[in-house]
Amino acid sequence: MASSVFLAGDENWWRQAVVYQVYPRSFKDSNGDGLGDVKGITSKVDYLADLGVDAIWLSPFYPSALADGGYDVADYRDVDPKLGTLADFDEMMAAYHKRGMRVFVDVVPNHSSDLHVWFQEALAAAPGSAARDRYIFRDGKGVNGELPPNDWPSHFGPSSWTRTTNADGTPGQWYLHLFAPEQPDFNWDNEEVIDDFKKTIRFWSDRGVDGFRIDVAHALKKDMSEPYPKIPGYDETHIPLDGSHHLFDRDDTIEIYRGWREVFNSYDPPRVAVAEAWVPTERRPRYSSPETLGQAFNFDLLITPWSAKKFKKSIEFNVDLAAKSGSSSTWVLSNHDVVRHASRYGLPQKANLEKWLLSDGEAPRLDRELGQQRARAAIMLLLALPGSTYIYQGEELGLFEVADLPGDALQDPMWLRDSGKRKGRDGCRVPLPWEKTGTSFGFGTGGAHLPMPGWFGDYSVAAEDSRADSTLNLYRSALELRKKSLTTESLEWVRSKGTVVHFARPNGWHSVTNFSHRSVRLPEGKVVLSSAPLVDGKLPGNSTVWLQK
Ligand code: BGC
């Protein structure tokens, strides 16, 4: 820990930061075991500094049996031995801080791993004990408790209840898990749980961590009183606006975050946080207010089809919403849970992505060129917006989803638990290609935990580094220019054709995106960057240009 370099400075650094999400197991493997690790992340500090991001966010690297890619945490205050040690972590922190980059870590407060010492204690303890009260145990229904307490589904299907076995081998109580059975939900009415998470936040803050990404931030508080309601679905369209859902976005959830805010603010500079909260947009400010987590992911553009009108509407709404909540907006196109956007943009708008994955990416056909063009245009649009942008590892290479992973290679509990109905999220979690050739394209020397397709070589860092017009070089140029052009958090819309999104920042930085297939006339101004070569002085379809006026 002594080696950590703490970054001082502006406490508003996060408001317009570009944050790069590292999915540790798939980033860079330093010891040839096929799994990315902490030393691997340290070894790529120059790459990320040259890319020009302000911060990195590490998905979980804690001890875990990897039942859900690490979101099943067995110990919140340690590093998974498969990925390294706390000393490696300190070394990594120091390296990133030295290059002026901040570090976010993931906090997973809704559930632990079933291997967490508390859950093991709970299993060994009697019903009604203090050890069981840290989780959500209930007696079953039916004559002998053989039926689950209710029919709530888990996100990964089918049931959100699993029955335990008593020490004498007889069947016991049931416990709640909104995700996999290996991810038992905590009871957030329990004081020990509340205290322990504050301890975790302090533990990482003391090690110099600058920010926290809060996993399923809206699920912590639950109304477990009977009668249990029917729960039609888990997406935010089913969550009412009045905080009355039994499982999600309950009003008192943010009391937890008020408590965390005190901890964040006891540091200098205050630690920051960003909520992953799939709630109706109107309710997002509750999580992003300066009294609670300070910022929340805005996934609206991630689910917005490629349409100028829809993008504009969503941007307008979110810039406004952020201002009202005292936060800044976040912009996101991809993360470790969704099909990579270079693929989404190359498929017909209405394509069913789950079916597409089940067809191994064969039907409908992916138009790679179109997907790539739009992905390049989209990131330039995002980077010109007021607020912060979250980039997912590999999108700077223009990587597509690996849609044809064979069933026996898949690790996602969505696939494993839902009888092969959903292929899940492994296709965006395939390790990064660093070199043009080699069994794992420079990811490591001992293969990769998910198969890497042959075409990855062309999208490797080495291949793109040497091509002036590569997506990697576009990201580098855009991030460099953005840094120079940063200005106050507002924008003004400029009148344009219906298929064009044109806005200006207060310092005369204009961004123009052409959502159509036809070239459009370029507005006046000095061209500073373009996602595609201009054609006869015009902006081609599916591209963005930045102008300075
Ligand atoms: C994470 C997922 C994870 C789930 C359960 C999510 O929101 O991003 O990867 O499966 O939480 O922890």
Side-chain angles (χ1 to χ4, degrees):
M1 189 146 86
S3 62
S4 270
V5 177
F6 287 79
L7 277 192
D10 177 15
E11 58 179 56
N12 284 322
W13 63 268
W14 53 275
R15 295 190 69 93
Q16 299 203 76
V18 176
V19 185
Y20 182 97
Q21 180 188 356
V22 171
Y23 192 72
R25 289 170 182 81
S26 301
F27 187 66
K28 169 72 188 163
D29 171 18
S30 75
N31 62 0
D33 66 356
L35 271 191
D37 46 42
V38 177
K39 277 189 184 301
I41 300 169
T42 311
S43 73
K44 293 298 176 191
V45 65
D46 288 344
Y47 170 73
L48 291 173
D50 293 346
L51 182 61
V53 297
D54 303 298
I56 58 170
W57 144 35
L58 306 178
S59 279
F61 50 82
Y62 315 111
S64 169
L66 302 186
D68 182 20
Y71 283 89
D72 45 320
V73 180
D75 182 349
Y76 290 87
R77 299 188 282 272
D78 204 352
V79 173
D80 191 332
K82 300 188 282 301
L83 270 63
T85 62
L86 278 171
D88 295 339
F89 180 88
D90 293 338
E91 192 188 22
M92 185 267 316
M93 283 293 309
Y96 277 81
H97 277 177
K98 197 163 163 206
R99 298 300 304 269
M101 285 176 277
R102 322 261 177 173
V103 179
F104 283 73
V105 300
D106 224 301
V107 178
V108 188
N110 180 63
H111 45 263
S112 69
S113 155
D114 59 340
L115 300 179
H116 192 285
V117 60
W118 275 3
F119 193 70
Q120 290 300 315
E121 265 175 49
L123 288 181
S129 59
R132 286 212 169 174
D133 190 57
R134 296 175 185 134
Y135 293 90
I136 302 176
F137 282 84
R138 290 291 181 275
D139 292 332
K141 304 275 183 205
V143 184
N144 298 309
E146 70 281 10
L147 300 173
N150 60 41
D151 61 358
W152 295 342
S154 110
H155 278 282
F156 299 145
S159 168
S160 64
W161 293 96
T162 291
R163 195 165 194 189
T164 61
T165 306
N166 296 321
D168 63 1
T170 56
Q173 283 193 300
W174 299 71
Y175 65 90
L176 181 77
H177 51 85
L178 295 186
F179 294 88
E182 295 88 350
Q183 294 169 295
D185 281 40
F186 280 117
N187 169 18
W188 272 92
D189 293 328
N190 180 296
E191 286 298 326
E192 278 187 277
V193 172
I194 296 172
D195 290 348
D196 199 64
F197 271 90
K198 288 187 183 159
K199 197 166 158 194
T200 294
I201 290 168
R202 282 197 205 96
F203 178 87
W204 295 107
S205 298
D206 290 343
R207 295 194 107 84
V209 160
D210 306 277
F212 298 90
R213 177 263 189 193
I214 315 302
D215 191 61
V216 256
H218 58 306
L220 277 43
K221 283 280 194 171
K222 292 164 183 115
D223 178 357
M224 294 302 298
S225 59
E226 298 197 49
Y228 299 118
K230 283 260 168 238
I231 298 201
Y234 279 165
D235 62 276
E236 71 277 19
T237 55
H238 289 102
I239 301 180
L241 293 178
D242 60 3
S244 65
H245 196 284
H246 277 237
L247 298 179
F248 298 113
D249 192 29
R250 297 190 59 74
D251 281 344
D252 51 355
T253 305
I254 58 164
E255 292 311 320
I256 300 168
Y257 303 130
R258 287 190 206 281
W260 292 13
R261 172 55 51 193
E262 282 173 23
V263 181
F264 298 146
N265 288 355
S266 68
Y267 288 87
D268 180 21
R271 299 315 190 230
V272 305
V274 56
E276 185 215 25
W278 289 88
V279 296
T281 38
E282 298 86 330
R283 302 267 297 178
R284 206 185 293 138
R286 292 159 36 78
Y287 299 85
S288 62
S289 105
E291 282 86 51
T292 59
L293 293 173
Q295 208 178 35
F297 283 126
N298 151 26
F299 295 121
D300 295 0
L301 289 184
L302 188 157
I303 53 174
T304 299
W306 187 252
S307 140
K309 208 167 135 206
K310 294 191 169 134
F311 261 63
K312 188 172 173 189
K313 196 169 156 208
S314 173
I315 294 166
E316 231 164 2
F317 176 82
N318 279 294
V319 169
D320 242 38
L321 191 73
K324 275 187 210 144
S325 67
S327 184
S328 63
S329 187
T330 59
W331 308 104
V332 186
L333 293 172
S334 276
N335 61 35
H336 65 294
D337 289 331
V338 296
V339 169
R340 284 188 177 277
H341 63 271
S343 292
R344 297 197 316 263
Y345 289 149
L347 289 167
Q349 302 271 24
K350 294 219 163 83
N352 176 323
L353 295 174
E354 271 166 15
K355 281 200 182 140
W356 178 71
L357 287 175
L358 285 171
S359 79
D360 284 346
E362 292 291 326
R365 200 185 65 81
L366 169 67
D367 183 338
R368 284 195 171 203
E369 198 184 325
L370 181 64
Q372 200 66 239
Q373 283 170 356
R374 288 179 171 171
R376 291 166 62 101
I379 190 64
M380 279 187 59
L381 185 160
L382 258 69
L383 289 173
L385 289 169
S388 68
T389 304
Y390 283 76
I391 292 176
Y392 176 52
Q393 69 176 40
E395 68 164 81
E396 79 278 19
L397 304 172
L399 283 186
F400 298 99
E401 184 82 0
V402 182
D404 58 354
L405 287 172
D408 57 7
L410 298 178
Q411 305 168 5
D412 192 338
M414 241 180 221
W415 165 259
L416 301 172
R417 293 204 29 92
D418 214 3
S419 346
K421 279 198 230 108
R422 287 181 292 167
K423 225 169 158 183
R425 302 157 295 175
D426 290 315
C428 67
R429 299 174 177 181
V430 173
L432 287 195
W434 295 94
E435 302 295 338
K436 291 182 205 165
T437 56
T439 45
S440 61
F441 301 100
F443 166 65
T445 53
H449 66 99
L450 281 167
M452 300 171 73
W455 54 265
F456 257 36
D458 292 338
Y459 290 83
S460 63
V461 173
E464 296 210 13
D465 198 31
S466 54
R467 273 202 332 261
D469 63 352
S470 69
T471 299
L472 176 59
N473 281 319
L474 177 73
Y475 269 68
R476 286 174 175 156
S477 308
L479 286 164
E480 192 185 346
L481 278 165
R482 174 191 157 95
K483 222 166 241 167
K484 290 188 197 139
S485 319
L486 267 189
T487 173
T488 45
E489 282 171 47
S490 62
L491 62 72
E492 212 165 280
W493 294 105
V494 181
R495 260 178 79 96
S496 60
K497 287 174 82 149
T499 52
V500 168
V501 169
H502 182 176
F503 58 88
R505 300 291 297 274
N507 56 356
W509 174 21
H510 285 238
S511 175
V512 189
T513 304
N514 176 5
F515 282 77
S516 75
H517 286 286
R518 292 221 183 121
S519 317
V520 293
R521 216 168 45 83
L522 211 56
E524 268 174 40
K526 179 173 171 272
V527 174
V528 286
L529 188 68
S530 169
S531 69
L534 302 179
V535 180
D536 302 328
K538 287 182 156 189
L539 180 63
N542 300 303
S543 51
T544 294
V545 68
W546 286 352
L547 306 165
Q548 187 62 47
K549 283 207 204 182

